[in-house]
Amino acid sequence: MDWQALFLTLKLATVTTAILLCIAVPLAAWLSLTTSRLRAPVQALTSLPLVLPPTVLGFYLLVLLGPLTGIGRLIASLLGHPLAFSFAGLVVGSVLYSLPFAVQPIVAGFSAIDSSLTDAARLLGAGSIRLVRTLLVPLAARSILAAAILSFLHTLGEFGVVLMLGGDIPGSTRTLSIVLFNQVQGFEYAAANRTAAILLIVCVTALIAIYARPQAILGAQQSSAKVSGGRNG
Amino acid sequence: MVELQLNARRGSFQLAIDCQLPALWTVVFGPSGAGKSTLLRLIAGLEIPDSGHILVNGVTITDTRTRRHLRPGPGTPQRGVGLVAQQSALFPHYTVAANVAYGLAKQPQQPRQQQVTDMLQLVGAAHLAHRSPRALSGGEAQRVSLARALAPKPRLLLLDEPLSALDADARDQVLTRLQTWLAEQNIQTILVTHDAADALATEAQVALLEEGKLAALGPASEVLASERTRLLARLQPN
């Protein structure tokens, strides 16, 4: 068992999920609340990784972050090494690749909130940030949790972008899906079976957690909201 | 004093209003679909008119020519307009007290709690302070919604059939207390109703709205009497 690859994969999924939530919550709030003409193109761009082959995304990122572009050279001069074929490069690729899996459930959750509630909050003086913090996030907590789990799982199984952008550097860019690919290429089916089983077990366990305990998760969220409500009062 | 000159098209419906509402308490009366709720949403700042302007006590809160549109809220750079709609729209994850305190975020804790208590007492809902909105009846929820809108003391209060879930006695009781308090605080109020009894119950100025246009404006007894005559005339065979 390649423990180094397992640890790297979990680290990549955790870092990617954390960054994605920081980006996805404000982006989803903007998409849910705005009447701007930019809404449609931004939503289309956000959804692009759903239909784009991962190798295409990986290829463009490899070119963009490589030494042939200004951005690539700037990042290389700042970091001291190019972003491609590094863990940081993998994080950038994973964030872009999993963006729709984080944004779309949260947009759906925010959009499902009754507009009379957001109207009431605005009439009471809530600006966009307070509206998101006190109303949208607590009421769409389940959607945000689902987005986090989907992003984590999607990053765990990522292959095309990882291979194109990160290659196969042990301890730096070699994730479990790359290990699995190498094992199959080398006809090491017993080892491949163990690696695939680990990915399968993690994914199934996480999905069961989503579907089996939604009320418990929601209940915990409501309790914490009541506490903050009490402070307001 | 509220000055309105508004044009707003919503699908095939056109709202065109040009009037001044000087009275402290005005009742906007009209049938369903006359544009009453749209008018309130425009004044509240939840919608922007296609053209026109709105002034409250001489302050322009909307003017499409200058693209001035103060955002909703009770603060000074905001519109200072409160709205209580038929739907109580209480925040389900907050207690009743926290709902009422929502518009008082900038106040220190002590006066804020006092204001919450006072407003809940005013609408007869002090005993509900620690309840969840999910545990309230329709009438209780409307009382709390009213207290929440009153708490920040808006310059202009808009009421869109706010007590429709209360029985007649309870509604009269709350309305009487509310009118006294609003008069003490000098808060101008516009009450929307499609019930002529509500319009006649108060000796208010009545604005009669029909198909998006102001059909009459004046004392309740005059406007509603002429409306009655007009309706009777419609029923007469030609």
Side-chain angles (χ1 to χ4, degrees):
Chain A
M1 178 66 216
D2 191 337
W3 294 105
Q4 192 183 45
L6 175 63
F7 174 74
L8 186 79
T9 307
L10 292 174
K11 183 177 155 192
L12 177 65
T14 306
V15 172
T16 300
T17 304
I19 293 172
L20 270 175
L21 285 183
C22 295
I23 297 170
V25 170
L27 181 57
W30 183 80
L31 287 169
S32 308
L33 299 172
T34 189
T35 52
S36 165
R37 286 177 189 169
L38 289 175
R39 186 181 186 278
V42 170
Q43 201 155 22
L45 268 177
T46 308
S47 305
L48 192 60
L50 282 177
V51 292
L52 201 66
T55 44
V56 174
L57 181 67
F59 170 72
Y60 280 125
L61 281 174
L62 185 64
V63 172
L64 184 72
L65 301 176
L68 295 177
T69 66
I71 294 174
R73 284 194 294 273
L74 178 69
I75 291 170
S77 68
L78 288 173
L79 296 179
H81 61 84
L83 208 52
F85 303 107
S86 71
F87 180 76
L90 277 196
V91 171
V92 171
S94 299
V95 165
L96 288 174
Y97 185 50
S98 294
L99 191 62
F101 291 86
V103 173
Q104 291 197 351
I106 302 177
V107 169
F110 287 171
S111 302
I113 293 170
D114 191 339
S115 63
S116 68
L117 295 179
T118 49
D119 284 349
R122 280 191 168 128
L123 286 163
L124 293 165
S128 299
I129 292 173
R130 189 167 177 228
L131 193 67
V132 172
R133 187 172 56 80
T134 62
L135 209 65
L136 300 190
V137 168
L139 292 178
R142 264 180 74 179
S143 302
I144 295 170
L145 183 69
I149 294 176
L150 283 176
S151 305
F152 187 88
L153 297 181
H154 195 242
T155 309
L156 275 189
E158 206 176 291
F159 179 71
V161 174
V162 171
L163 192 65
M164 292 295 282
L165 194 60
D168 180 15
I169 305 167
S172 179
T173 64
R174 181 185 283 174
T175 61
L176 273 190
S177 54
I178 301 288
V179 169
L180 177 62
F181 177 75
N182 290 342
Q183 287 165 340
V184 171
Q185 290 292 299
F187 299 104
E188 302 164 30
Y189 286 115
N193 201 15
R194 283 194 296 275
T195 307
I198 286 174
L199 286 170
L200 182 69
I201 289 166
V202 172
C203 291
V204 170
T205 307
L207 287 174
I208 288 173
I210 293 183
Y211 290 114
R213 294 181 59 83
Q215 288 311 314
I217 292 158
L218 183 62
Q221 180 59 41
Q222 281 169 353
S223 301
S224 65
K226 269 187 192 174
V227 170
S228 65
R231 280 201 300 272
N232 276 348
Chain B
M1 159 84 92
V2 177
E3 295 170 67
L4 304 168
Q5 196 271 304
L6 293 172
N7 284 289
R9 176 170 283 282
R10 301 287 180 267
S12 60
F13 176 77
Q14 172 82 43
L15 183 79
I17 303 283
D18 188 353
C19 68
Q20 294 186 344
L21 306 174
L24 202 57
W25 185 274
T26 303
V27 176
V28 176
F29 173 70
S32 296
K36 305 187 295 292
S37 296
T38 305
L39 175 63
L40 291 199
R41 288 181 64 81
L42 289 165
I43 299 173
L46 294 173
E47 293 183 26
I48 300 175
D50 299 330
S51 64
H53 58 263
I54 305 167
L55 278 79
V56 176
N57 298 336
V59 177
T60 304
I61 58 172
T62 288
D63 190 341
T64 53
R65 277 177 311 172
T66 57
R67 294 191 174 183
R68 181 180 171 84
H69 184 71
L70 293 186
R71 75 179 179 88
T76 307
Q78 300 168 337
R79 292 174 91 81
V81 178
L83 170 66
V84 186
Q86 258 181 305
Q87 265 187 304
S88 53
L90 298 178
F91 308 136
H93 54 304
Y94 282 173
T95 61
V96 162
N99 264 277
V100 178
Y102 194 88
L104 306 171
K106 288 178 183 165
Q107 285 193 17
Q109 193 172 5
Q110 196 60 36
R112 185 173 64 196
Q113 283 182 340
Q114 188 57 51
Q115 181 72 350
V116 170
T117 307
D118 290 348
M119 291 305 101
L120 285 172
Q121 273 173 353
L122 180 70
V123 300
H127 61 293
L128 305 173
H130 301 293
R131 289 231 203 127
S132 162
R134 290 189 176 93
L136 303 181
S137 68
E140 287 171 336
Q142 284 192 332
R143 286 173 192 254
V144 175
S145 179
L146 183 59
R148 186 176 65 177
L150 296 175
K153 295 187 181 171
R155 287 187 286 276
L156 173 65
L157 180 66
L158 309 172
L159 304 172
D160 190 356
E161 308 203 32
L163 302 172
S164 55
L166 269 67
D167 62 59
D169 285 347
R171 193 167 57 201
D172 290 346
Q173 205 177 24
V174 174
L175 267 180
T176 306
R177 264 189 280 173
L178 180 65
Q179 277 186 301
T180 308
W181 185 82
L182 290 168
E184 282 170 7
Q185 302 294 328
N186 200 29
I187 295 173
Q188 188 173 357
T189 306
I190 298 175
L191 168 73
V192 152
T193 183
H194 69 271
D195 187 344
D198 273 355
L200 280 167
T202 58
E203 290 178 11
Q205 172 178 256
V206 171
L208 178 63
L209 206 59
E210 281 185 342
E211 294 173 0
K213 292 183 177 58
L214 191 67
L217 177 66
S221 51
E222 282 178 25
V223 172
L224 295 174
S226 61
E227 170 68 356
R228 184 171 171 273
T229 312
R230 202 173 59 82
L231 287 171
L232 286 173
R234 265 197 205 173
L235 297 173
Q236 298 290 328
N238 289 326

